[in-house]
Amino acid sequence: MEILAFGVQADERPLVEQAFEKSHHAAHAVGVFLNTDTAPIAAGHEIISTSVNCDLGADVLSDLAAGGTRMVAQRSTGFNNIDLEVAERLGLTIARVSSYSPYSVAEFAWTLAMAVNRRVVRASIRTRDFDFRLDGLMGRDMHGRTAGILGTGKIGEAFARIAHGFGMRLLGWDVSENPACRDLGMTYVPKDQLLAESDLVSLHVPLLPTTQRLIDAAALKTMRDDAILVNSSRGGLVDTAALVAELREGRFTGVGLDVYEAEAGLFFLDKSLEAVDDDTLARLVTFPNVLVTSHQAYYTEDAVRQIIETTVNNVLDYTAGRRSENVLVPRS
């Protein structure tokens, strides 16, 4: 059986194809993302694999079902791009990767935090022009300061362990407390208190209806003027227009964003020769204290191999009639 994999990056392609070959399945990996225009490509493929920036809304799912697709194996933890109710009604099996290396995302979140704190991008641009002045490059020690972590699951815990290594005070917010974070000395507090007291705020919660724009205009105003905000989770957690408004007021030491709420159709693609009509994103990247990357926090060899391995196992479970914790919509 041949599996069609959408949205596969060049670095991922050999890993995807080799992993499926070992499982006695063939994988045809394509770089295009699944949407209403590309859905016809899936015709005749019982199983497809998708990435988080693929469109799996009602129209696309209907097209997939009409073309003979019966199983979607998503190569990510998040699934906010999938209409699960429609999938169930159409009899489509949906599976995801419930977990992979938390260190990949946690370490990258810290990369963003330290890059904006120590003005690394600006310094690098200057030295390329042989400008070795230190003006405007002063950062702050993290030791002794407060890290506020919204979401203390596996990734949030890994982030907290690094913060603990820096010697930071730890504040946490989550629907349930993580004993491992408490052992690190974390104090769980209400969200507003965390935002008001933290020098560094890092987001590690899933995107759900209850967390949509968790960091809205009111939340941003609660934060300290000299705080650092990092989002390596989901773009929809932050009201970007409200963030731009605060940045225009000269607030925040730095903002590191690996995700963006309107990233679909932009991220993972080369738009360098096109006019980008997203005025909010265009304004965001002009701020000298903002660093935007292209949803790459998960993108380590270790994490990608785990994601692909789990995806292959999800396909094997489907063909064998088994069900695991990764299944969002079971086989009918």
Side-chain angles (χ1 to χ4, degrees), residues 144-316:
R145 287 190 160 81
T146 299
I149 303 169
L150 294 162
T152 57
K154 293 180 180 179
I155 297 174
E157 178 188 331
F159 187 91
R161 290 188 182 280
I162 298 172
H164 182 261
F166 273 108
M168 300 185 76
R169 173 191 177 215
L170 301 178
L171 296 181
W173 177 87
D174 208 327
V175 292
S176 60
E177 298 183 5
N178 184 337
C181 289
R182 276 209 168 275
D183 290 343
L184 294 172
M186 177 179 286
T187 301
Y188 282 86
V189 296
K191 184 184 76 170
D192 285 351
Q193 181 181 344
L194 181 150
L195 295 175
E197 297 182 12
S198 297
D199 299 285
L200 166 63
V201 175
S202 191
L203 309 182
H204 300 287
V205 299
L207 181 60
L208 303 168
T210 53
T211 60
Q212 183 77 34
R213 294 193 170 179
L214 182 71
I215 304 300
D216 57 11
L220 290 165
K221 291 187 181 299
T222 303
M223 293 175 61
R224 297 177 53 166
D225 288 344
D226 60 354
I228 293 171
L229 173 65
V230 173
N231 185 13
S232 58
S233 184
R234 288 290 180 268
L237 298 175
V238 177
D239 183 337
T240 315
L243 175 60
V244 168
E246 295 301 311
L247 288 165
R248 291 182 66 179
E249 296 296 320
R251 300 191 65 222
F252 306 133
T253 290
V255 174
L257 303 175
D258 185 50
V259 288
Y260 173 59
E261 61 181 333
E263 69 182 55
L266 290 172
F267 281 24
F268 304 139
L269 301 172
D270 181 4
K271 297 289 186 177
S272 60
L273 298 179
E274 300 178 27
V276 175
D277 59 4
D278 188 324
D279 293 338
T280 302
L281 179 60
R283 184 69 180 93
L284 186 65
V285 299
T286 64
F287 292 103
N289 58 333
V290 174
L291 175 57
V292 178
T293 53
S294 51
H295 205 142
Q296 68 184 79
Y298 79 98
Y299 207 54
T300 66
E301 181 179 341
D302 311 80
V304 171
R305 285 188 182 278
Q306 291 174 18
I307 290 168
I308 294 170
E309 180 181 345
T310 301
T311 301
V312 170
N313 288 334
N314 287 342
V315 169
L316 294 177

